Amino acid sequence: MKISSIEAFQIFDSRGNPTVEVAVSLKNGARGCGLVPSGASTGQFEALELRDGDSRFRGKSVLKAVSNIDRIVAPALRGWDASDQQGIDWCMIELDGTENKSRLGANAILGVSMAVARAAAASRGQALFDYLGKGRGCLLPLPEIQIIGGGAHANWRIDVQDFLLIAIGAKHYPQTLEMTFNVYHAAGDMFKERNRYFGLADEGGFWPDVQSHAEAFEILIEAIERAGYEPGVDVAISLDIAASDLYNKENGTYRFSLEDKIYSSNEFADLMISWCETYPIISIEDAMADTDWQGWSKIYRALGRKVQLIGDDLFTTNIERIKKGIEKGVANSVLIKPNQIGTVTETLEAIGLTQQAGWLPVVSARSGETEDAFISHLAVASNAGQLKVGSFARSERMVKWNEVLRIERALGKRAKFQGGQLYERILTDRS
Ligand code: PGA
Ligand code: ZN
């Protein structure tokens, strides 16, 4: 299963921005590719996405990353056994030699890492989820699906980045999609009735033409009801506040520009807590900023047994930061984005660490996505239990939801689904 060639190209993501595609070929003829996604509300502790920063493509081209693969990575990995994912990933980490993968670029390294995994799976004649999970991956994820998009994904039309839903009452994976379909279209009807239908935000959720966050909640709750479901019982609300984007590091305050309000850390935490008391919320991501550990502690003390508290920018899929979070006890869930850390091996390690701590991982896409459904396989392979890939529209999103349907068929009787029950592991005080 030896690597014979590694080729890299510049392609384009769902926002039309340049990104990296890698194709790995093995001597036995097997091939695999990897397409790298890209965030917009990126965390400051993420591995570095290398962009050229010159006059072409507004500085966003990735030709240096492509050339790093051609000149440095490909010669080093030629002849390597593709089934040695760890050895290959660590070789690239050492070739890079920096803390944040800034020499080769995390986008270069991840593309190779994904393509190697795919080529090795193909060589063994295994589906990617089976290969990555060593035959133990069988849990179909509960989807977390965006209905209204905001923040950096909608030109700050509303401050909160994602209003999502989780079909906690669904009995099986296809039913989560049917329930989401019904609520998504009911929400669309409401935007049309209010003459506020202005299309979709970056991840396919509705463009948030609302007057306040309260109105967004109102639309979401009514859409759930119109679709025939009971809010909080059949379908619950999930939020990604992406609070680091609202945070002023200088004075430790949070700002909602739509409502023209500034909050201290304490006040912002109180607001999040009061939202959870008012609305049927089961999950909040990045409720506080990535350096506001005190704010996180406060939120955790109030909500840690009632609401899934996900760290995204807080942890950036980084083992050391997740360890720190576990020690401090500030969350109960970790968002897992392979391109925040840059290799498949480290991503799997981050998921493992999260699970060992009794926390729940949520495998996630980026706001700039591709037609690659690698993360659907990753979610099943690792029995992560949850998947967040944006909304229920646009092919770069749907390809991931659809891939889970295919995986379900491939698993047959082996397939498992826990639905909302998986929260019982962390939410011991939910009335
Ligand atoms: P990003 O957004 O990909 O723009 O970072 C997704 C998220 O914050 O979860
Ligand atoms: Zn996030």
Side-chain angles (χ1 to χ4, degrees), residues 85-199:
Q85 185 78 38
Q86 283 194 359
I88 288 172
D89 286 344
W90 277 101
C91 171
M92 290 193 285
I93 291 167
E94 274 161 26
L95 278 175
D96 175 85
T98 67
E99 273 285 294
N100 64 347
K101 303 187 173 68
S102 53
R103 180 167 167 251
L104 299 177
N107 42 353
I109 295 172
L110 181 67
V112 175
S113 186
M114 291 163 76
V116 162
R118 272 232 174 77
S123 174
R124 289 201 181 156
Q126 278 182 305
L128 183 60
F129 75 86
D130 245 346
Y131 171 73
L132 286 175
K134 300 191 167 70
R136 291 191 292 268
C138 59
L139 184 63
L140 301 175
L142 182 61
E144 192 186 342
I145 304 190
Q146 187 196 64
I147 304 298
I148 302 172
H153 304 161
N155 198 28
W156 298 101
R157 178 61 191 77
I158 190 172
D159 297 278
V160 167
Q161 184 181 282
D162 296 86
F163 286 83
L164 313 104
L165 62 76
I166 302 180
I168 53 174
K171 301 278 179 288
H172 47 78
Y173 176 77
Q175 195 181 10
T176 66
L177 301 187
E178 180 170 353
M179 291 166 82
T180 302
F181 171 96
N182 290 333
V183 179
Y184 182 77
H185 289 287
D189 293 343
M190 292 181 66
F191 276 103
K192 284 172 200 152
E193 284 161 21
R194 293 176 187 212
N195 269 331
R196 308 254 196 81
Y197 185 87
F198 292 114

Side-chain angles (χ1 to χ4, degrees), residues 161 240 285-286 312 335 337 388:
Q161 184 181 282
D240 183 358
E285 178 177 330
D286 283 351
D312 171 14
L335 203 76
K337 292 168 165 168
K388 175 189 183 217

Side-chain angles (χ1 to χ4, degrees), residues 355-420:
Q355 290 168 324
Q356 275 161 29
W359 290 16
L360 301 180
V362 182
V363 173
S364 171
R366 299 310 303 245
S367 52
E369 262 300 331
T370 72
E371 54 273 35
D372 194 324
F374 193 98
I375 56 169
S376 306
H377 288 264
L378 179 67
V380 177
S382 59
N383 293 316
Q386 295 179 87
L387 182 64
K388 175 189 183 217
V389 308
S391 194
F392 205 66
R394 298 189 167 184
S395 289
E396 81 278 5
R397 313 290 149 190
M398 299 314 299
V399 71
K400 277 90 166 162
W401 303 130
N402 288 341
E403 190 72 356
V404 178
L405 289 170
R406 293 184 196 103
I407 294 172
E408 180 178 37
R409 281 217 304 269
L411 275 169
K413 287 206 170 70
R414 279 202 288 151
K416 293 205 164 56
F417 179 73
Q418 288 189 334

